[in-house]
Amino acid sequence: MDTQVFSLYQDYLQSEKRYSPLTVYAYQADLQAFVAWLGTLPNPPSSVIDVQAPHIREWTSSLRRQGLMGRSLQRKLSALRRFYHFLLRERAISVNPALAISLPRMPIRLPEVLDTEEVSYLLSANPENVLEIRDFAMMELFYSSGLRLAELVGLNVHDLDLRQAMVRVFGKGSKERDLPVGRMAVMALQDWLAIRSSLCDDDEQALFISQHRKRITARSVQLRLKHWQQKQEMRQNLYPHRLRHSFASHLLESSGDLRAVQELLGHANISTTQIYTHLDFQHLAAVYDKAHPRARKKT
């Protein structure tokens, strides 16, 4: 019975939700760990369908005793909630037992961003060879359009329309969205496309190519950004998502349009985008503390 249920759930994650193989594996691993734990109970339920809220509460308590806390514990509980939501939708159960379990709220972890001066400094360097020209096109596109790392790595040449200053990306769940490309990014991409053929064969579709003449990997992009961090002697850690965070924060700070930023980032839920409003408030609070005569510290 359980084997059939797990198989249907995996098909649901892959075919309907269209999650990546890594995400599907993570959900299945958490679910299997829970089932294995159920088997250690003196009187385990006969099936996952018979699991009740006390079982899940006892499971989370056992994880706490093992030292698991915070985000990891929340992820495991989220995996169970999704699984039982699926069973509820399939009418295999009448109530989701995982919804009765709550965990302490995690403190908001604000994304790390570069300020506009740091971004300008990073992108003011002069690329000296083919790989650095490619790097600049990638960094400009990250910051111009707020791409995820996987979205950038997955781009093909035909996804780019420089005449319209647009790029088509495929985000989480293979959701497609068209994004504007800024003027500086267009120029950097034109420079890269003019010499791209020196790194690849004529039939290569990937937009960004490695020195091994094939599509660049996510790990290679991360290492190239570290190269630029060191070359520019930047104190801030430089990684792909930091450029995406910077894009979102700077755009929201200038426009105040949360919905537009949500669309550009490809967030399914606006609550994910709202994290950047906290960054904006921090910036305003810092300005206030420095400028307001009743807030300034005496020197």
Side-chain angles (χ1 to χ4, degrees):
M1 175 66 177
D2 283 353
T3 302
Q4 183 180 3
V5 168
F6 296 151
S7 179
L8 290 172
Y9 182 56
Q10 182 169 336
D11 289 342
Y12 163 76
L13 294 176
Q14 292 173 331
S15 304
E16 188 169 333
K17 300 300 290 183
R18 304 180 76 177
Y19 287 151
S20 71
L22 193 61
T23 300
V24 173
Y25 173 80
Y27 281 141
Q28 294 285 49
D30 286 336
L31 183 56
Q32 289 169 6
F34 173 66
V35 171
W37 175 84
L38 288 174
T40 67
L41 297 177
N43 296 301
S46 58
S47 167
V48 288
I49 291 176
D50 299 320
V51 165
Q52 301 295 318
H55 293 123
I56 300 177
R57 185 174 292 108
E58 188 176 345
W59 172 68
T60 58
S61 296
S62 72
L63 292 176
R64 287 173 186 269
R65 289 193 294 271
Q66 295 170 29
L68 197 69
M69 296 294 290
R71 201 169 299 275
S72 297
L73 196 56
Q74 286 187 328
R75 193 202 73 225
K76 289 181 180 295
L77 182 58
S78 175
L80 278 196
R81 284 175 174 168
R82 288 178 183 273
F83 173 66
Y84 283 104
H85 173 76
F86 166 75
L87 295 183
L88 187 64
R89 197 194 72 157
E90 297 295 308
R91 299 183 179 179
I93 58 175
S94 58
V95 64
N96 185 337
L99 291 180
I101 313 304
S102 60
L103 295 173
R105 293 191 65 179
M106 292 286 294
I108 295 175
R109 184 179 178 182
L110 298 181
E112 297 176 329
V113 302
L114 302 173
D115 61 35
T116 53
E117 290 79 11
E118 288 169 329
V119 173
S120 296
Y121 173 70
L122 170 65
L123 299 175
S124 67
N126 293 316
E128 299 174 355
N129 54 52
V130 174
L131 293 182
E132 291 194 349
I133 291 172
R134 178 206 62 194
D135 295 347
F136 257 67
M138 294 192 302
M139 291 191 294
E140 285 281 9
L141 191 55
F142 269 133
Y143 181 62
S144 164
S145 305
L147 272 62
R148 298 179 178 95
L149 175 57
E151 292 170 348
L152 181 128
V153 168
L155 285 177
N156 291 324
V157 174
H158 63 74
D159 295 324
L160 201 60
D161 184 350
L162 294 185
R163 294 186 64 182
Q164 298 292 325
M166 297 286 290
V167 63
R168 177 162 295 175
V169 302
F170 295 86
K172 290 185 175 180
S174 298
K175 292 180 181 177
E176 181 182 296
R177 69 188 193 280
D178 291 330
L179 298 172
V181 179
R183 179 177 59 88
M184 299 301 291
V186 167
M187 294 170 58
L189 286 162
Q190 287 172 335
D191 291 342
W192 160 240
L193 290 174
I195 61 171
R196 172 181 170 276
S197 59
S198 65
L199 278 182
C200 66
D201 300 327
D202 293 339
D203 61 350
E204 177 59 62
Q205 296 297 309
L207 176 59
F208 294 112
I209 308 298
S210 74
Q211 58 187 333
H212 302 297
R213 304 183 68 82
K214 59 184 180 181
R215 186 184 298 273
I216 197 169
T217 65
R219 182 57 180 159
S220 293
V221 175
Q222 293 168 333
L223 291 174
R224 291 304 294 176
L225 291 192
K226 286 297 181 184
H227 161 80
W228 283 102
Q229 176 190 332
Q230 294 167 4
K231 184 169 182 175
Q232 293 294 86
E233 298 181 345
M234 298 177 66
R235 291 183 295 105
Q236 300 270 36
N237 287 328
L238 187 61
Y239 49 89
H241 235 61
R242 192 163 208 157
L243 290 174
R244 174 173 158 88
H245 290 324
S246 301
F247 156 84
S249 178
H250 299 166
L251 195 62
L252 184 60
E253 186 179 325
S254 299
S255 69
D257 193 332
L258 194 63
R259 287 289 180 185
V261 175
Q262 177 193 6
E263 288 290 325
L264 291 169
L265 290 173
H267 286 162
N269 195 319
I270 199 168
S271 63
T272 309
T273 318
Q274 285 174 326
I275 189 77
Y276 296 103
T277 63
H278 294 278
L279 288 175
D280 195 28
F281 177 79
Q282 278 196 340
H283 170 73
L284 293 174
V287 171
Y288 176 87
D289 288 341
K290 289 180 180 178
H292 196 285
R294 302 291 284 183
R296 288 197 304 257
K297 293 182 179 179
K298 293 182 179 180
T299 57

